[in-house]
Amino acid sequence: MPVTFALLLLLGQATADPCYDPQGRPQFCLPPVTQLAAVAASCPQACALSPGNHLGETCNGSLTLALGGSFLLTSVSLRFCTPGPPALILSAAWASGGPWRLLWHRPAWPGALGGPERVTFHSTPDPKATVVASHLRVEFGGQAGLAAAGLRGRCQCHGHAARCAARARPPRCHCRHHTTGPGCESCRPSHRDWPWRPATPRHPHPCLPCSCNQHARRCRFNSELFRLSGGRSGGVCERCRHHTAGRHCHYCQPGFWRDPSQPMSSRRACRACQCHPIGATGGTCNQTSGQCTCKLGVTGLTCNRCGPGYQQSRSPRMPCQRIPEATTTLATTPGAYSSDPQCQNYCNMSDTRVYMSLRRYCQQDYVLRAQVLASEAAGPAWRRLAVRVQAVYKQRAQLVRRGDQDAWVPRADLACGCLRLQPGTDYLLLGSVVGGPDPTRLILDRHGLALPWRPRWARPLRRLQQEERAGGCRGVRAPTSSPRPEH
Ligand SMILES: *[C@@H]1O[C@H](CO)[C@@H](O)[C@H](O)[C@H]1NC(C)=O
Ligand SMILES: *[C@@H]1O[C@H](CO)[C@@H](O)[C@H](O)[C@H]1NC(C)=O
Ligand SMILES: *[C@@H]1O[C@H](CO)[C@@H](O)[C@H](O)[C@H]1NC(C)=O
């Protein structure tokens, strides 16, 4: 049992991440200090003389070490072949070629013979005074030869890693806090909502994720947007997928619309518009409703049908065209009624125009196109007309057939000019529902109309006839007929 327990404890320690506290919050972390470089030389060394120097004179030595990457130096140890040089200068550069920063300047040790054989330089524990170095230079005076140099330190991970491959070139930090790069010197592509910053013991400065509604894996940091947001957010999502667009992939691309039944983070949040290639003016639709922009007279979400008052045509430019008005002006009749006082208010013609609406059509007893062939007196009150019925646009209860037949007109209605009929002329005849002496007779009187026929009336009348057959006259009541006094 104790063995198992110990093993678990070890595993637990191995999985703990020093870059996060037990609650999972990011915290400052450092990789361990390791041996970074070691140089050894054989002693004694001949002092390299520069030209102009004479034997017996002191000569100055210099050694530059390239560390192969950026490190935080913690200590430098030097060992000399003989008692050390009377003076020693250590400088470090964070990049190749300098600038060199003086680390340690040891002036002459007291005593003529020189300094100690071993010296070790330690960096201060203050993290602000850390020495970041990729190159180290050792300069020393005197004749002492350098036997060995050893450097210790840690990878420069900017407080974002606790592990490091220090021997890799360049050394590679095991970056945490959503940072990346050999030294964790930038934010991962998905976490660029804030600018990258090094961690400090007080502020871990982790990189923060961009909000892309799960439609983008990458974003870039925009400092201007960050400033405008008051330091809250500066990430701009890149390459939004699933037909989304916008800084946060938060709306749909043109040609797609937002399906309200799906959350914005869904892969199906944006649906294609499906605008009809002929009915719509283009492929884009309203982003919230999916409504395509329809051509005139076209309707439907995808613009796939004709709206009310429009019918399909063969023109791709105008796929729906207006149905001609159901109201048709049939004629202008001169208001030339007889001036006989007996005829005052006798004819039922208030206007010189007749508007034929479906309602008016339904109110007629019959609507015919007929030619008047001849006319003769039929008793004191009536005239009989010989007519040839060419078309029946509205049928009455007592059927009217096409062809030659008789029609009766009250003589008074003709005398007052309510109806003017010329033999040999085609007329549109509108019959009133007011009854006559014999229901089988075709009666034409002042309550109806006789208008000289115009061929352009045929189509609107046919349409009214179709509407009647489709039940268009249901609910339109004919004026109640009052029995006509016998003449
Ligand atoms: C040797 O180094 C010392 C101090 O670094 C300097 O003052 C001196 O001039 C140098 N001598 C030569 C010959 O370079
Ligand atoms: C899109 O449709 C919505 C709701 O149907 C409407 O409020 C909005 O004005 C429309 N947008 C455009 C640009 O037509
Ligand atoms: C004239 O005709 C209309 C319907 O067409 C009817 O309502 C009205 O009563 C008629 N007037 C006369 C005087 O017949």
Side-chain angles (χ1 to χ4, degrees), residues 285-291:
C285 59
N286 183 314
Q287 298 241 310
T288 53
S289 62
Q291 177 64 56

Side-chain angles (χ1 to χ4, degrees), residues 128-418:
K128 281 195 192 120
T130 50
V131 177
V132 181
S134 67
H135 292 77
L136 183 79
R137 189 168 67 186
V138 185
E139 295 167 278
F140 49 93
Q143 284 177 315
L146 186 62
L151 275 71
R152 290 177 67 78
R154 38 178 130 237
C155 297
Q156 166 60 308
C157 303
H158 299 99
H160 290 305
R163 285 162 56 200
C164 174
R167 285 172 203 282
R169 288 295 171 260
R172 271 199 316 276
C173 302
H174 184 78
C175 297
R176 310 293 282 144
H177 306 157
H178 304 288
T179 58
T180 187
C184 312
E185 66 282 332
S186 55
C187 290
R188 275 170 46 193
S190 58
H191 282 68
R192 293 180 175 166
D193 205 36
W194 276 38
W196 176 89
R197 279 179 203 153
T200 67
R202 296 188 67 184
H203 299 287
H205 292 308
C207 293
L208 298 181
C210 294
S211 44
C212 299
N213 288 296
Q214 298 177 30
H215 296 304
R217 295 198 190 95
R218 306 177 60 92
C219 55
R220 66 187 148 79
F221 178 73
N222 182 308
S223 53
E224 182 67 6
L225 289 175
F226 187 68
R227 193 180 61 75
L228 290 173
S229 76
R232 262 188 279 278
S233 165
V236 178
C237 302
E238 286 186 322
R239 285 183 285 185
C240 294
R241 292 171 301 160
H242 314 131
H243 312 296
T244 61
R247 185 182 160 192
H248 302 296
C249 306
H250 58 301
Y251 58 80
C252 299
Q253 278 177 2
F256 291 82
W257 65 288
R258 177 77 186 86
D259 183 348
S261 71
Q262 303 281 337
M264 189 63 230
S265 57
S266 162
R267 297 165 65 96
R268 287 189 290 275
C270 292
R271 286 173 52 182
C273 285
Q274 291 180 326
C275 298
H276 194 281
I278 292 174
T281 58
T284 59
C285 59
N286 183 314
Q287 298 241 310
T288 53
S289 62
Q291 177 64 56
C292 299
T293 312
C294 299
K295 290 181 184 164
L296 183 69
V298 186
T299 188
L301 193 68
T302 61
C303 306
N304 59 342
R305 51 195 166 84
C306 291
Y310 287 84
Q311 61 190 1
Q312 199 162 341
S313 81
R314 286 165 194 275
S315 155
R317 210 168 52 81
M318 277 278 289
C320 294
Q321 282 175 356
R322 182 168 274 286
I323 298 172
E325 279 290 343
T327 301
T328 308
T329 306
L330 288 184
T332 55
T333 49
Y337 310 128
S338 166
S339 54
D340 188 326
Q342 272 202 301
C343 295
Q344 205 75 48
N345 296 327
Y346 182 72
C347 298
N348 186 13
M349 279 298 293
S350 51
D351 198 349
T352 56
R353 281 167 179 268
V354 179
Y355 295 98
M356 182 58 94
S357 62
L358 179 63
R359 185 182 177 81
R360 178 148 191 164
Y361 167 90
C362 293
Q363 284 171 343
Q364 305 302 315
D365 188 34
Y366 59 80
V367 178
L368 308 175
R369 178 189 160 197
Q371 189 178 23
V372 175
L373 302 172
S375 143
E376 61 174 19
W382 297 88
R383 277 193 85 81
R384 184 169 59 198
L385 305 178
V387 296
R388 179 170 293 157
V389 175
Q390 280 138 323
V392 179
Y393 293 110
K394 185 169 191 293
Q395 189 56 274
R396 60 175 195 168
Q398 194 72 44
L399 289 188
V400 184
R401 302 193 186 286
R402 284 168 57 160
D404 293 356
Q405 53 205 288
D406 289 341
W408 277 264
V409 191
R411 291 180 80 153
D413 299 16
L414 287 171
C416 281
C418 306

Side-chain angles (χ1 to χ4, degrees), residues 381-465:
W382 297 88
R383 277 193 85 81
R384 184 169 59 198
L385 305 178
V387 296
R388 179 170 293 157
V389 175
Q390 280 138 323
V392 179
Y393 293 110
K394 185 169 191 293
Q395 189 56 274
R396 60 175 195 168
Q398 194 72 44
L399 289 188
V400 184
R401 302 193 186 286
R402 284 168 57 160
D404 293 356
Q405 53 205 288
D406 289 341
W408 277 264
V409 191
R411 291 180 80 153
D413 299 16
L414 287 171
C416 281
C418 306
L419 296 159
R420 281 174 310 140
L421 298 160
Q422 297 284 330
T425 309
D426 267 10
Y427 291 95
L428 174 70
L429 302 179
L430 308 183
S432 80
V433 200
V434 181
D438 178 354
T440 61
R441 280 185 178 181
L442 187 60
I443 303 281
L444 188 59
D445 65 10
R446 64 194 163 97
H447 301 292
L449 264 179
L451 304 169
W453 174 255
R454 299 276 181 274
R456 64 187 151 88
W457 297 344
R459 271 185 65 179
L461 287 168
R462 281 280 170 237
R463 201 169 301 121
L464 290 168
Q465 192 178 5

